[in-house]
């Protein structure tokens, strides 16, 4: 490769949650050596388990061969020591969606990074320019935003901060192509493209419920059968996590200072209750039985 651009071979993934394990999965399947880190060994073990199950699902549906799955699994290593990721060619931070958490991770990592390491965040809404400005390499920093479920969704949003250089963008774009996915280039404004459009729709669905226009069932059915969405908006909100949906609405509301983005009080209420969707067993649906049951 020419200029400051280098071939990316090793990828460090910070955070082994829903997004982190999916990112490790697709990177390993595409042939990258992956080092996955988290603060808890249980989270790392659970992530490897999830990747194994999702690879098996792809094998059973003839999407990939058993030897592809085995090779991918063998390419994923885990560590509890964040700084072990320092020498990676590319780092994708997929930790909790809180700016203080992400900033602390970058601060710990920075002294250990190789000079050429590209640093990225899977943030769904935090300013890339601001995150980048607090690192020693704003020109090698960008947003690398996957959609959930990562192994299935075709899109990756690539977000350039004000200082991101072209070589960094192109290196990340090449990685996305190697994953067999499509990159959409988004400017660094609140919630980028997908969530700028998706979250107000979900928030409006919650208002529709709050104002009694429809029930959980009728709202989801309407959008599935009437607009051909694969999931209804409330089912999708539960899938994404209601805390994440609320956090993104707050970023839009604060960042664009427009009342059209005000989060629905009912969404706030569910989050206050700890009913965050699938991950806590309850949200707009109750997932604790055999089939999801609407909670309103
Ligand atoms: N890993 C690997 N494969 C998976 C998988 C996973 N985690 N989850 C599902 N799949 C595969 C299945 O194996 C199946 O493959 P085939 O088509 O080859 O058979 C396919 O995906 C469909 O799965 P299912 O038949 O089990 O279920 P489904 O048809 O109901 O589809 C879905 C599930 C793909 C999740 C679909 O409901 C969907 O597309 N939902 C919308 C998802 C969406 O909008 N995501 C974006 C959220 S926004 C976001 O992520 C951004 C943010 O920052 C918040």
């Amino acid at each position: 490769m020419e200029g400051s651009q280098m071939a990316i071979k090793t990828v460090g993934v910070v955070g082994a949650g829903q997004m982190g394990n999916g990112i490790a999965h697709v990177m390993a399947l595409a042939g990258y050596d992956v080092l996955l880190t988290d603060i808890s060994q249980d989270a790392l073990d659970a992530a490897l388990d999830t990747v194994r199950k999702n690879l098996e699902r792809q094998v059973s549906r003839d999407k990939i061969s058993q030897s592809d799955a085995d090779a991918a699994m063998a390419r994923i290593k885990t560590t509890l020591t964040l700084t072990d990721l320092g020498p990676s060619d590319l780092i994708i931070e997929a930790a909790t969606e809180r700016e203080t958490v992400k900033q602390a991770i970058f601060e710990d990592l920075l002294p250990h990074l190789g000079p050429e390491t590209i640093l990225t965040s899977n943030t769904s809404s935090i300013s890339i320019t601001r995150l980048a400005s607090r690192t020693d390499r704003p020109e090698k920093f960008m947003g690398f935003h996957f959609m959930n479920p990562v192994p299935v969704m075709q899109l990756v949003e690539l977000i350039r901060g004000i200082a991101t250089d072209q070589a960094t963008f192109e290196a990340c774009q090449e990685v996305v192509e190697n994953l067999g996915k499509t990159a959409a280039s988004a400017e660094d404004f609140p919630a980028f493209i997908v969530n700028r459009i998706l979250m107000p729709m979900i928030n409006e669905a919650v208002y529709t419920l709050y104002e009694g226009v429809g029930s959980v069932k009728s709202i989801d059915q309407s959008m599935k059968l009437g607009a051909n969405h694969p999931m209804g908006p409330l089912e999708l909100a539960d899938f994404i996590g209601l805390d994440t949906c609320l956090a993104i609405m707050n970023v839009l509301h604060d960042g664009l200072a427009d009342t059209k983005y005000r989060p629905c009080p009912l969404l706030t209420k569910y989050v206050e209750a700890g009913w965050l969707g699938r991950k806590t067993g309850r949200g707009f649906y109750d997932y604790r039985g055999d089939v999801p049951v609407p909670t309103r």
Side-chain angles (χ1 to χ4, degrees), residues 83-102:
T83 52
D84 287 350
L85 271 60
S88 310
D89 300 327
L90 168 69
I91 291 178
I92 303 180
E93 171 277 317
T96 309
E97 188 71 352
R98 272 209 305 278
E99 195 160 342
T100 48
V101 172
K102 295 187 187 294

Side-chain angles (χ1 to χ4, degrees), residues 176-188:
V176 175
E177 279 164 18
N178 290 340
L179 298 178
K181 296 193 187 288
T182 302
S185 168
E187 294 300 320
D188 181 27

Side-chain angles (χ1 to χ4, degrees), residues 41 54 66 83 94 96 114 116 138 189 193 204 209 260 266 285:
Q41 186 61 48
N54 284 332
Q66 187 63 52
T83 52
T96 309
E116 295 300 324
F189 290 100
I193 297 175
E204 199 59 32
L209 179 67
K260 76 177 176 181
L266 184 61
Y285 293 85

Side-chain angles (χ1 to χ4, degrees), residues 146-278:
F146 287 86
M147 308 296 135
N148 189 20
V150 178
V152 182
M153 305 301 282
Q154 277 304 303
L155 186 80
V156 177
E157 274 181 303
L158 289 181
I159 305 108
R160 261 181 275 220
I162 292 259
T164 311
D165 68 21
Q166 186 62 15
T168 300
F169 178 80
E170 284 171 10
C172 290
Q173 195 174 36
E174 194 178 312
V175 172
V176 175
E177 279 164 18
N178 290 340
L179 298 178
K181 296 193 187 288
T182 302
S185 168
E187 294 300 320
D188 181 27
F189 290 100
F192 319 131
I193 297 175
V194 171
N195 285 324
R196 170 81 178 257
I197 298 169
L198 183 63
M199 288 302 159
M201 184 203 68
I202 287 176
N203 194 48
E204 199 59 32
V206 185
Y207 268 111
T208 310
L209 179 67
Y210 177 62
E211 292 170 7
V213 181
S215 63
V216 168
K217 189 173 168 214
S218 60
I219 291 166
D220 276 352
Q221 245 175 14
S222 297
M223 295 310 286
K224 270 161 73 171
L225 304 180
N228 256 5
H229 290 190
M231 284 178 169
L234 300 173
E235 187 189 0
L236 181 58
D238 277 357
F239 180 69
I240 293 167
L242 303 192
D243 51 341
T244 303
C245 295
L246 179 61
I248 298 171
M249 284 314 296
N250 280 324
V251 165
L252 283 168
H253 195 226
D254 296 346
L256 297 168
D258 190 328
T259 54
K260 76 177 176 181
Y261 297 114
R262 68 193 191 285
C264 179
L266 184 61
L267 179 61
T268 307
K269 200 58 66 192
Y270 269 82
V271 173
E272 283 173 352
W275 292 15
L276 306 181
R278 279 199 201 176

Side-chain angles (χ1 to χ4, degrees), residues 25-26 29 51-65 151-152:
H25 172 143
V26 298
L29 202 50
V51 173
R52 196 173 293 113
K53 282 192 190 122
N54 284 332
L55 285 167
E56 285 311 321
R57 170 158 40 178
Q58 288 175 303
V59 172
S60 69
R61 308 220 185 188
D62 287 331
K63 297 274 177 201
I64 60 173
S65 70
V152 182

